[in-house]
Amino acid sequence: MASNLKIRPLRAADEPQWRDLFERYMRFYNTAPDDQAIESAFHGMLSADQALRCWVGDINGNAVGLVHVILHPNTWSLMPDAYLEDLFTHPDYRRHGVGRALLQEVINTGHEEGWRKLYWNTAADNETAQSLYRKVAQQTSWVRFEVAY
């Protein structure tokens, strides 16, 4: 792990670097960035309601990775579930422990705040991500379905 890596919450001043990372992530999944959605997500992650959360991996004042989490109620518990929607590290900083540190920060926060569970999806062919995920979580047998509009 990079010795000067810090994991911290997103700040307003991070917007240009965060936007670059998020747009790279979207292109990785062959999705065209939508400026209005990106703007809404950024401001939602800075809002006080904490439903959308973001942490960044910071090396020497530069955001080099991001993780987005959505907290939501569930019908099985009074404690919230957390959906890890996005995890991305700038290509120049991969294999330096950024992704793992971001994921560990989310896991630790969930323990501290008493979340019921943290869950996420990844592409079936994203072996790099799956290699990391298998180190910190259990792969389930659930099958995902969706309706896109």
Side-chain angles (χ1 to χ4, degrees):
M1 181 180 339
S3 62
N4 48 353
L5 173 65
K6 295 181 177 100
I7 305 302
R8 60 170 175 78
L10 181 69
R11 298 186 297 227
D14 294 323
E15 187 169 13
Q17 292 178 335
W18 172 88
R19 180 180 284 267
D20 177 63
L21 290 167
F22 192 38
E23 288 178 355
R24 286 173 182 265
Y25 174 76
M26 294 176 85
R27 286 191 294 274
F28 175 82
Y29 278 111
N30 299 313
T31 301
D34 176 309
D35 284 337
Q36 288 181 323
I38 290 170
E39 186 76 15
S40 176
F42 183 76
H43 291 290
M45 288 179 229
L46 294 176
S47 76
D49 76 9
Q50 297 283 303
L52 290 174
R53 295 195 186 179
C54 175
W55 291 264
V56 295
D58 179 307
I59 295 180
N60 299 326
N62 295 307
V64 300
L66 60 79
V67 62
H68 299 154
V69 174
I70 301 169
L71 287 176
H72 64 87
N74 67 80
T75 59
W76 293 18
S77 170
L78 296 176
M79 300 312 296
D81 284 349
Y83 176 66
L84 190 157
E85 187 161 50
D86 310 305
L87 177 63
F88 182 77
T89 300
H90 189 284
D92 293 346
Y93 294 91
R94 292 192 181 141
R95 307 263 184 231
H96 290 85
V98 176
R100 185 176 186 128
L102 285 163
L103 185 53
Q104 192 60 56
E105 181 69 19
V106 173
I107 291 168
N108 293 347
T109 300
H111 282 296
E112 292 167 10
E113 296 182 5
W115 300 346
R116 186 178 77 99
K117 71 176 174 180
L118 171 66
Y119 66 102
W120 62 92
N121 302 302
T122 193
D125 64 349
N126 192 344
E127 284 297 325
T128 301
Q130 290 178 43
S131 173
L132 168 61
Y133 299 157
R134 286 186 187 102
K135 294 174 184 170
V136 298
Q138 291 184 331
Q139 185 172 346
T140 71
S141 61
W142 289 86
V143 178
R144 176 181 166 157
F145 295 85
E146 63 182 40
V147 175
Y149 296 99

